[in-house]
Each structure stands twice: as structure tokens, then as C-alpha cells.
Amino acid sequence: MKKILVIGAGRSSSSLIKYLLENSEKENWKIKVGDMDKQIALEKVDGHPRGEAFEFNALEPNQREKEVKECDFVVSMLPARFHIEVVKDCIRFQKNVITPSYVSNEMKELNDQAVEAGIIVMNEIGVDPGIDHLSAKKILDDIEEMGGEMTCFESFTGGLVAPESDDNPWNYKFTWNPRNVVLAGQGGAAKFIQEGQYKYIPYTKLFRRTEIIDVEGRGKFEGYANRDSLKYRNIYSLETIPTIFRGTLRKVGFSRAWNVFVQLGATDDSYILEGSKDMTNRDFINSFLAYNQHDSVELKLRYYLQIEQDDVIWDKLVWLGIFENTPLNLKEDATPAQILQQILEAKWSLAKSDKDMIVMWHKFGFRINGENREIHSSMSYIGTDQTYTAMSDTVGLPVGICTKMILNGTIQSKGVQLPIHKEIYEPVLKELEKFGVIFRETEVEPVLY
Amino acid sequence: MKKILVIGAGRSSSSLIKYLLENSEKENWKIKVGDMDKQIALEKVDGHPRGEAFEFNALEPNQREKEVKECDFVVSMLPARFHIEVVKDCIRFQKNVITPSYVSNEMKELNDQAVEAGIIVMNEIGVDPGIDHLSAKKILDDIEEMGGEMTCFESFTGGLVAPESDDNPWNYKFTWNPRNVVLAGQGGAAKFIQEGQYKYIPYTKLFRRTEIIDVEGRGKFEGYANRDSLKYRNIYSLETIPTIFRGTLRKVGFSRAWNVFVQLGATDDSYILEGSKDMTNRDFINSFLAYNQHDSVELKLRYYLQIEQDDVIWDKLVWLGIFENTPLNLKEDATPAQILQQILEAKWSLAKSDKDMIVMWHKFGFRINGENREIHSSMSYIGTDQTYTAMSDTVGLPVGICTKMILNGTIQSKGVQLPIHKEIYEPVLKELEKFGVIFRETEVEPVLY
């Protein structure tokens, strides 16, 4: 019997733990689920005979060492910055390990040690990063095999509310960490390359430079640029591709309205808003507007950001309650981003019956035999409920499937890996299809400038 | 004979060293001027019999200790972050010390030790900070003495080109560190309070929320908000004042044009612009604009930032050469801010015959005997040449004068000090007048909302 250690039983681990437990009998696994909060681990294991929940502080070296030593395989679902110590222990005790998070430079540097220890350290195998790699690399490899030369790669992913639960003017609800949504795009310009020309979009323009994407069966979305598309040239071996762009999807109209908060400075997390403890929603918005004894907050905002009286974004703003005299009731002064998050959480939180949705869309432009061709590939996936969300499924299932493939020897690679090789993406994508994570590929007539 | 150690002989030290040397005979001083680059120190001392130039690395503890020990008084003209170690040595060897820089928290914490050592550590006695403190605190104290209650304090300073050298469409040239000009306003929202309401302006709106100031004899200027006006409530004992605002002056029209660079992201210093090494000015601007095979950089920029065809900012942009195919000729890829600085330096550098100008303007609103009153106080000062600039004079003269006042016992205070007490501002302001640094005070009819 193989012992699998799952570290972290939070929201993102639900589907993973379910998958592992459901496969545990057939594969002869024991699943040990450790979390700082034992109660959460207990709920996820739910009395399964092959599961065991325990209190686990992965930051405590002695306990971590003991648990890693005793198991056969480690799945680290910790916040990204905590993986490194776990992986170092895995190298020491020669245990394969998997994380859904972005591989850090520090992690990459462990490659030689991991190879030497004869283990695989698999990273970036959630949804984004993860399923995006699997699905994109599959087509990229196909095109290469056909002898095609890539001219353009675009890729967009969005965590959104499912159509059946989409009942507010923003067509958006928080389906994941709200803080990350409020801070999205901050910390440097978005970088990409188009027709061989480097392009840079500063945060202040990010939500005004969107691209409209039509996803088969799901309608129109808009995509804003992710921070760094350039690094994917290297990851996907597309060093000389003239156009590469990655972005985040929202329903059409979101970004232009969100830009109001960006322009006001309401998404800033870098300073404490003095006096905010005693503010109302309205005071908060007013703190970003010029003083005037007579003018209303509404008119000052319209004038400042040149929002015409019949602009559709106005309904979105009003609906959020930002002009209401609702006290913020903060315990202490907070940053603008923290305050905005609180205001949004009152409106954008999922109701109990709400479902979420993951949408992914890739575009592949290539030349073959002197001909320009274009393939689109898209996937959308709707969650089951508030525990087995689309986000939890699309993060957890690839992690779980890959765990199985490593344990049963389907995946043989060693070292610090990403799921960009056929040995990995092919079996994982195949099993994902059984769960409804299905990519539709269509070839379209390329539109050239 | 008293030995004065001047640390740092760069541009900002010229007028200071001149002042000290000119007073050295009468006051019986010896002036030791140390700089990493001995040549610079030699030029500033210029063979004066009471001066001595030497190579000095203030970061080298042994040399620093030796020099501080041997002198009677230390003037630290180092970059702000290096003062602290000098001051620690001054405390150890009980030497009075003066710096024109903002007092850091670390410096403030040395107050008790400085008092115990029986020395004064005088800070913020250049121009801004410095002359702004002296001139503002004088009137604030006068109003308090009259029994007035402050309702509003505004203060603006600008380092500009003198009217006789003002010959470009921006009405601006670099009269000080160009890098600081390019980065001005970054790193957090501008904070102030108006009529009791906290106000916050994000960087992206900073140059669109200017105030027009009429300075007697110098015409109209615009002021944009400085980073933190709130802290001056504490410094000036104005804890309950409903309005306090500090800002930076430019000639009218500058900020709206500068905002083009802010909106493009061209002032960003947080990332390296990949591919910039081989770019031209035009490529640089184009890297912030959407790709299109057919449209010109000019039209894309006009459309992106909605610059109408007859807008006066267009001439300013064209004049800078940003649309020209001039190679940047960088040694390696650089940040947008570094590249913009290079483009600006080719156009905004002072010519040999150019003079600079410092302009300062304060507004004091107060209530006395149930009556609202308002005083304006302004100063403008034009430099002599490119060595004895207005900036160098207005930084160096208060430092030099204060040095004299401490050495001759006029100033008796001990501890970590700012020049906000009558004992300091009164004699320093009085002597500054002899050099033409003269504030004109006028009472005006207050305009109330």
C-alpha cells in the first residue's frame, strides 16, 4: 500500500482529496491529509476508510520531516511560497512530490538535486497554470509534428460565475481569492510581443486594452493582458514566435467599469487610508475626489472620470452600493484595496446555490507549406456546488491524475518538471475528459492584417 | 580656530562651501572639504588659504571616525541615506552636525543620545525641506501669537528654469537630479486633508489635479500634490487644521503634457523594457501603443490618449523628439524611466548660459476674533550661473548660516532638530535676506466656498 501525504486541505484541495480517496481502493493507496486546522482535514476526508486527517504544521521542520519520511508521495497544496521547504525534504528522503503552483527560481535550482535523488518535482499542474499548459502544448506539438511554424499564440483563462448563477450587472462574482482579484494586474506593466514588436501596458491602461473573444457555446468575453507573456516563449519552446499573448477573461463590460476603481486609486494596497475607520462607502469614494462643498460625490465622479450620463457602467457602480452611506465598520484604518474588497465581498460573494465556471481559450496561428492556418481550442467547465467548484475540480483533478500516473509508472520523468511533455499531458488530458474537462478544437480561416 | 568638516563637494555643496570660506577669516574657521573625488573638492575650495580639500570615503568607518574626531563641526552633504553613520560618530565624539536632508525615523531615534552628548543634529535646512520650514513657521508663529486659529495651510515649491532662460515649449529644464523629476510622485498616493476630509490622489491622476498659483512678479504656475502633506500637521503643530496641502510648482501646462508619459507607462522604473537596447525614440513610444501594421505612432498615441488635433500638448511632445527615429544607443536594455530620462536630457539640459530659479509660495488661512483672514507669502530666487545655481544657493546658504549660528552660540538647542523654532528661523531668515532670499507677505481677502 502506497501512502500519499496531502499537505493543506483548504478550498483548493476538495476535489483533489475526493479524487484520491475515490481511487484509493483500486490503486491501493492510503491518503493522509494534514492541515493546520484538523477540522478542515476531517471534513475533506469525511470518514473514508482509506483516509486519515491530522493536524499538521508544514512550517515546523521536525513534524514535516517525519511525515515526508513516512509517506511514499507528497502533494503540497500549501500557498506557493511554502512549497520549497517541503520539496527540499522530498529530495532528502527521495519522495516524488507535486504542486499546482508556479515554479519559482529557487525551485528550478533544485532540478539537479531532484534528478540525483531520482524523484520528480512536478509543478504548475492545476488549472492556470496547469490545464493551460497541457492543452496548449498538445496542439503546439501537433503543429510542430506536421511541420508547421508558429506565428501567433494567444491564451486566455477566466474564473467566472456560471451562466445559471450570473445575476448581477457585472456578470462577475468572486469564485476565488477576492484579494487577488482586487490586486490583479498590479506590480509592473503587462509584457507581450506582437508581430515582433515588444508591447507594454501599464496598470493604469490594462483594463482599457482588452481583446474580445468568442467562446463557442459561452458567448463573448473580454481578455486583459497578464503580467508576463514573454516568459512563455521559453516554456513552450517558441523563442522566435512573433506574437505571444496571455490574458484573463471577464464577461464583456467588466473591465471598463473596473477601470473606474483603478483610476480612482481604490485598488491601491500600498498605503493605509488615514481616517478610513470611520468612513462610509460614500466617504471612501469621496476621498479620491476633489473637495467641493456643494457638488455630489456622483457628479464629481462622473466629471472626474468623464462618465456620460447614459453610460452602462454607472448601473454597475450604483449596484455595488459605493455611493451609499453604509459605515465601513473597520476595526482600524485599512488600505484602499482592503476597503474595496470589503465593499465588493458584500455584493460579489457566491450565494449558497451559485456555481462557478472556468473558461479557457487558445489561439494558434501557424504557417505550413506556405499557407497561413489558425486553430482555436476552448474549454468551459461548470462546478457542482460550493465545495466541488469548477476551480477546485480543475485545480485538483490534474493534480490527482498526475499523482496516479507518477505512482503507477505512466510518468517516468525525473527532476523539476512542468506538464509540457507528451508523456504527461496526453494521459492527464485523456482522463480529464472523463470528468468533462473537454477542449473543442476548430480550425478557422485566419484573419490577417 | 574651529575646524569645519564638509562631507561631500558635489553640485549641492558649491554655495555652501563658498559661504563657509567667505566667512572663514572673520569667524576664524578652517574648512576641510572631503569628497570621494578629490578633484571636485579641490575645485570647490579653489586654493582658499583657509580651505583644505581631501579624498574622503565617508562609508569607510575608520577614516570617518578619524575625521569626525579631529574636527569641531560636521556638515554632511551626502545623499540622505548615508547621514546616519556620520551622525552616530558625531554623537560618539560630541560634535555638532547639520544636514539639509529629510530627517529619517532612524535619525529621530537618536534624539536622546544627541541630547545626552550635548550636541545638535540639525536636519532639513536646505530649500525644500528647509527654507519652506523657516518661512512658514515664522508666519504660523506670528498668527498663533496674535491669537489666530489656522484654518488652512498650503505650501508649494518649484525648482525651475529662470525666465531669461525659459526658451522651450515645456517652460521647464532639469535644474536638479533628472531621475527624481522622471520618478516624481511615484510610490504611493498623494495624501492631504481639505476642510476636514482626507483626500488621496493616485499617481495616475496626480498631474491632472493641479492647482493654479499666481506668484507676484513671476506669473502663473501650477502645483501638483506632494506625496504626504499630512505629516506636516505634526511638524508644524497644526494637528487639528482642516486643510493642509503641499505641492510642487511647474509653469502652467507642464503637468497635462507630462501626464502623457505617465499614462503611457513611460515613467515606470520597475521593469526592464525587453528589446529597448535596439529601439529608437519612436520605437520606445510605440512599445506602449497597440500593434497595428498601418497606423502611425502619432495617430495611435492621439487616439489612445484622446489628444485632439489642435491640443497644445502636441507641440511639446513633438519638440522632445519622441517621434523621431533616433537610435537610443543603449548599452543594455533599460527601464522605461531610464529611457525617458535619456530622451529628456537631450532636450531639457541647461545650456551653459542658462540660469535656474526657485519659487516658493505659502498660503495661510486663519480665523481671529470671528473674522476669516488670509496671508500669502512668496519668494523667488534666480541663480548666478551653473555652479552657483538657485538650487545650490538656497540649499547651501541656510546650511552655512545655520552652521555659523550654532558655532557662534546664537543657536543653543540640543538634540535632533528641525528649523522650526524661532531661535533658528529668525536669524537664518534675516541673513538669507542679505543674499536676496526675500519673502513677500501680503494679506488678501479670503475666498470662502
Side-chain angles (χ1 to χ4, degrees):
Chain A
M1 188 166 67
K2 294 275 171 65
K3 262 203 270 185
I4 300 173
L5 173 65
V6 177
I7 309 177
R11 283 209 289 169
S12 56
S13 300
S14 308
S15 307
L16 163 71
I17 294 168
K18 183 164 173 252
Y19 176 88
L20 294 177
L21 290 170
E22 280 174 356
N23 282 270
S24 59
E25 199 65 50
K26 185 164 148 265
E27 302 285 335
N28 197 20
W29 292 338
K30 161 114 196 245
I31 318 299
K32 275 196 83 170
V33 179
D35 198 285
M36 297 274 276
D37 181 347
K38 189 180 172 182
Q39 191 52 40
I40 287 178
L42 277 169
E43 281 165 22
K44 296 291 158 71
V45 170
D46 196 24
H48 195 286
R50 284 188 172 256
E52 180 190 335
F54 69 111
E55 190 182 321
F56 184 41
N57 179 0
L59 307 185
E60 209 286 290
N62 290 335
Q63 198 190 2
R64 189 178 63 230
E65 186 180 310
K66 177 177 162 289
E67 293 297 334
V68 169
K69 210 167 168 178
E70 281 177 3
C71 74
D72 298 291
F73 192 99
V74 177
V75 184
S76 177
M77 301 296 285
L78 294 167
R81 64 189 182 284
F82 298 132
H83 293 315
I84 193 81
E85 295 304 322
V86 173
V87 169
K88 283 178 182 168
D89 281 348
C90 290
I91 289 172
R92 203 140 64 94
F93 300 113
Q94 299 181 290
K95 313 291 181 180
N96 291 309
V97 55
I98 189 167
T99 91
S101 307
Y102 281 107
V103 66
S104 62
N105 287 329
E106 209 184 347
M107 189 76 89
K108 274 184 211 159
E109 283 165 13
L110 296 177
N111 180 56
D112 290 351
Q113 291 180 46
V115 171
E116 208 174 311
I119 65 159
I120 184 167
V121 179
M122 176 62 77
N123 305 273
E124 303 194 12
I125 186 149
V127 54
D128 177 6
I131 294 178
D132 56 342
H133 288 324
L134 305 169
S135 52
K137 206 59 195 342
K138 173 179 167 284
I139 296 180
L140 289 170
D141 283 356
D142 285 352
I143 291 169
E144 199 189 355
E145 215 164 282
M146 292 193 297
E149 184 198 359
M150 287 295 299
T151 55
C152 165
F153 173 63
E154 295 184 14
S155 177
F156 294 85
T157 304
L160 298 155
V161 63
E164 54 262 53
S165 307
D166 183 354
D167 54 12
N168 76 42
W170 289 77
N171 306 117
Y172 186 77
K173 296 184 186 183
F174 286 130
T175 64
W176 204 239
N177 188 339
R179 182 170 162 82
N180 291 353
V181 175
V182 173
L183 301 183
Q186 295 188 37
K191 309 170 191 182
F192 61 100
I193 188 164
Q194 193 164 358
E195 303 291 334
Q197 294 185 15
Y198 287 102
K199 294 292 174 186
Y200 301 90
I201 309 178
Y203 177 61
T204 176
K205 287 290 180 190
L206 189 63
F207 296 95
R208 302 303 299 116
R209 301 249 313 249
T210 51
E211 192 175 324
I212 302 294
I213 311 286
D214 207 328
V215 179
E216 209 191 320
R218 293 291 175 208
K220 283 191 175 171
F221 297 84
E222 62 191 17
Y224 62 84
N226 287 354
R227 283 279 298 287
D228 189 359
S229 296
L230 298 177
K231 70 175 179 190
Y232 287 83
R233 292 180 299 184
N234 187 258
I235 295 171
Y236 293 164
S237 304
L238 298 170
E239 278 80 1
T240 59
I241 194 167
T243 299
I244 191 162
F245 186 89
R246 287 175 49 99
T248 297
L249 293 175
R250 294 285 179 260
K251 287 306 290 279
V252 173
F254 177 94
S255 300
R256 206 166 69 81
W258 181 253
N259 185 52
V260 168
F261 296 122
V262 174
Q263 296 306 312
L264 280 177
T267 61
D268 196 328
D269 197 45
S270 71
Y271 69 95
I272 298 288
L273 204 76
E274 198 167 329
S276 55
K277 196 163 63 74
D278 303 316
M279 287 182 180
T280 64
N281 288 8
R282 188 176 183 87
D283 295 335
F284 171 65
I285 297 301
N286 195 24
S287 76
F288 302 110
L289 300 170
Y291 177 82
N292 185 294
Q293 204 178 3
H294 305 294
D295 297 332
S296 67
V297 173
E298 285 86 348
L299 187 58
K300 288 194 297 184
L301 178 62
R302 280 187 184 274
Y303 172 67
Y304 188 38
L305 299 185
Q306 298 182 36
I307 304 169
E308 293 193 71
Q309 57 90 19
D310 54 356
D311 193 313
V312 292
I313 68 175
W314 197 253
D315 278 352
K316 294 185 171 70
L317 299 173
V318 170
W319 180 84
L320 282 177
I322 62 169
F323 300 117
E324 287 168 24
N325 264 316
T326 318
L328 292 173
N329 277 329
L330 304 175
K331 284 200 191 101
E332 49 190 22
D333 287 349
T335 69
Q338 287 166 341
I339 295 169
L340 180 61
Q341 181 183 331
Q342 177 181 307
I343 292 172
L344 296 173
E345 281 179 321
K347 297 287 179 173
W348 280 359
S349 290
L350 292 168
K352 272 215 167 140
S353 57
D354 279 344
K355 293 177 180 180
D356 70 330
M357 174 170 71
I358 295 285
V359 178
M360 197 176 281
W361 185 88
H362 307 300
K363 169 176 156 184
F364 306 83
F366 57 103
R367 274 186 78 77
I368 191 163
N369 304 326
E371 190 194 356
N372 287 301
R373 290 171 60 181
E374 186 170 318
I375 291 173
H376 294 181
S377 168
S378 70
M379 179 274 285
S380 64
Y381 182 91
I382 291 176
T384 305
D385 55 33
Q386 289 254 30
T387 302
Y388 302 105
T389 60
M391 190 67 91
S392 167
D393 281 2
T394 54
V395 169
L397 290 172
V399 173
I401 295 166
C402 191
T403 297
K404 187 172 78 179
M405 305 283 174
I406 295 169
L407 280 168
N408 70 18
T410 307
I411 295 171
Q412 297 273 355
S413 309
K414 305 296 171 200
V416 176
Q417 294 284 343
L418 301 187
I420 50 175
H421 302 296
K422 196 168 189 170
E423 183 203 34
I424 297 159
Y425 66 66
E426 198 166 57
V428 177
L429 279 174
K430 205 169 154 200
E431 185 164 341
L432 277 174
E433 287 200 352
K434 293 187 200 153
F435 290 92
V437 181
I438 299 164
F439 280 83
R440 289 165 204 275
E441 292 166 20
T442 47
E443 180 150 359
V444 301
E445 197 62 40
V447 181
L448 298 176
Y449 294 101
Chain B
M1 189 166 68
K2 292 275 173 65
K3 263 204 268 183
I4 299 174
L5 173 66
V6 177
I7 309 177
R11 284 208 290 170
S12 57
S13 301
S14 309
S15 307
L16 163 71
I17 294 168
K18 183 165 175 251
Y19 176 89
L20 293 177
L21 289 170
E22 281 175 354
N23 282 268
S24 60
E25 201 64 51
K26 186 165 147 259
E27 301 286 334
N28 196 20
W29 293 336
K30 160 114 196 246
I31 317 298
K32 276 196 82 170
V33 179
D35 198 285
M36 296 275 276
D37 181 347
K38 191 179 172 183
Q39 191 53 39
I40 288 179
L42 278 169
E43 282 166 22
K44 296 291 159 70
V45 170
D46 195 24
H48 195 286
R50 285 189 171 255
E52 180 191 335
F54 69 111
E55 188 183 324
F56 184 41
N57 179 359
L59 305 184
E60 209 286 290
N62 290 335
Q63 198 190 3
R64 188 178 63 231
E65 186 179 311
K66 177 177 163 289
E67 293 298 336
V68 169
K69 212 167 167 176
E70 281 179 3
C71 75
D72 297 293
F73 192 99
V74 177
V75 183
S76 178
M77 300 298 284
L78 295 167
R81 64 189 182 283
F82 298 133
H83 294 314
I84 193 81
E85 295 304 323
V86 173
V87 169
K88 282 178 183 168
D89 281 349
C90 290
I91 289 171
R92 205 139 64 94
F93 301 114
Q94 299 181 289
K95 312 290 180 181
N96 291 310
V97 56
I98 189 167
T99 92
S101 308
Y102 282 107
V103 67
S104 63
N105 286 328
E106 209 182 348
M107 190 76 91
K108 275 185 211 159
E109 282 166 12
L110 297 177
N111 180 56
D112 290 353
Q113 291 178 47
V115 170
E116 208 173 308
I119 66 159
I120 185 167
V121 180
M122 176 62 77
N123 305 273
E124 304 193 11
I125 187 149
V127 54
D128 177 8
I131 294 179
D132 57 341
H133 289 324
L134 305 169
S135 53
K137 207 54 195 345
K138 173 179 167 284
I139 296 180
L140 288 171
D141 283 356
D142 285 352
I143 291 169
E144 198 188 356
E145 216 165 278
M146 291 192 297
E149 184 199 359
M150 287 297 297
T151 55
C152 165
F153 173 63
E154 294 183 15
S155 177
F156 294 85
T157 303
L160 298 154
V161 63
E164 54 263 51
S165 307
D166 182 355
D167 54 12
N168 76 42
W170 289 78
N171 306 115
Y172 186 76
K173 296 185 186 183
F174 286 131
T175 63
W176 205 238
N177 188 339
R179 182 169 162 81
N180 290 352
V181 176
V182 173
L183 301 183
Q186 296 188 39
K191 309 171 190 182
F192 61 100
I193 189 165
Q194 193 164 355
E195 303 290 333
Q197 294 185 15
Y198 287 102
K199 294 292 173 187
Y200 300 90
I201 308 178
Y203 177 61
T204 176
K205 287 290 180 188
L206 189 62
F207 296 96
R208 302 303 300 116
R209 301 255 307 255
T210 52
E211 193 174 324
I212 303 294
I213 310 286
D214 207 328
V215 178
E216 211 191 319
R218 293 292 176 207
K220 283 191 177 174
F221 297 83
E222 62 192 18
Y224 62 82
N226 287 353
R227 282 281 297 289
D228 189 359
S229 296
L230 297 178
K231 69 176 180 190
Y232 287 82
R233 292 180 298 183
N234 187 257
I235 296 170
Y236 292 165
S237 305
L238 297 170
E239 279 81 0
T240 58
I241 195 167
T243 299
I244 191 162
F245 186 90
R246 286 175 51 97
T248 297
L249 292 177
R250 294 285 179 262
K251 288 305 290 281
V252 173
F254 177 94
S255 300
R256 205 165 70 81
W258 181 253
N259 185 51
V260 167
F261 296 121
V262 174
Q263 296 306 313
L264 281 177
T267 62
D268 196 329
D269 197 46
S270 70
Y271 70 95
I272 299 287
L273 206 76
E274 198 166 330
S276 55
K277 196 163 64 73
D278 303 316
M279 288 182 180
T280 64
N281 288 9
R282 188 177 182 85
D283 295 335
F284 172 64
I285 296 302
N286 195 24
S287 75
F288 302 109
L289 299 171
Y291 176 82
N292 185 295
Q293 207 178 1
H294 305 294
D295 297 331
S296 68
V297 173
E298 285 85 349
L299 187 58
K300 289 193 297 183
L301 178 62
R302 279 187 185 274
Y303 171 67
Y304 187 38
L305 299 184
Q306 298 183 34
I307 303 170
E308 293 192 69
Q309 58 90 18
D310 54 357
D311 194 313
V312 292
I313 69 175
W314 196 254
D315 279 351
K316 295 187 170 70
L317 298 174
V318 170
W319 180 86
L320 282 177
I322 62 169
F323 301 116
E324 286 167 24
N325 265 317
T326 317
L328 292 174
N329 278 330
L330 303 176
K331 283 197 193 105
E332 49 189 21
D333 288 349
T335 69
Q338 288 166 342
I339 295 169
L340 179 61
Q341 181 183 331
Q342 176 181 307
I343 293 172
L344 296 174
E345 281 179 322
K347 297 287 179 174
W348 281 357
S349 291
L350 291 168
K352 272 214 169 144
S353 59
D354 279 345
K355 294 178 181 180
D356 70 329
M357 173 173 70
I358 295 285
V359 178
M360 199 175 281
W361 185 88
H362 307 298
K363 168 176 157 184
F364 306 84
F366 57 104
R367 273 185 78 78
I368 191 163
N369 303 327
E371 192 194 355
N372 286 301
R373 291 171 59 180
E374 187 170 318
I375 291 173
H376 294 181
S377 168
S378 71
M379 178 274 285
S380 65
Y381 182 91
I382 291 176
T384 304
D385 55 33
Q386 289 252 32
T387 303
Y388 303 104
T389 60
M391 190 68 90
S392 167
D393 282 1
T394 54
V395 169
L397 290 172
V399 172
I401 295 167
C402 191
T403 296
K404 187 172 77 177
M405 304 284 174
I406 294 169
L407 280 168
N408 70 18
T410 307
I411 294 171
Q412 298 273 354
S413 308
K414 305 296 170 199
V416 177
Q417 292 283 344
L418 301 186
I420 51 176
H421 301 296
K422 197 169 187 168
E423 183 204 33
I424 299 159
Y425 66 67
E426 200 166 55
V428 178
L429 280 174
K430 206 170 153 197
E431 186 164 339
L432 277 174
E433 287 198 353
K434 293 187 201 153
F435 291 90
V437 181
I438 299 163
F439 280 83
R440 289 166 204 274
E441 292 166 21
T442 48
E443 180 150 359
V444 302
E445 197 63 38
V447 180
L448 298 176
Y449 292 101

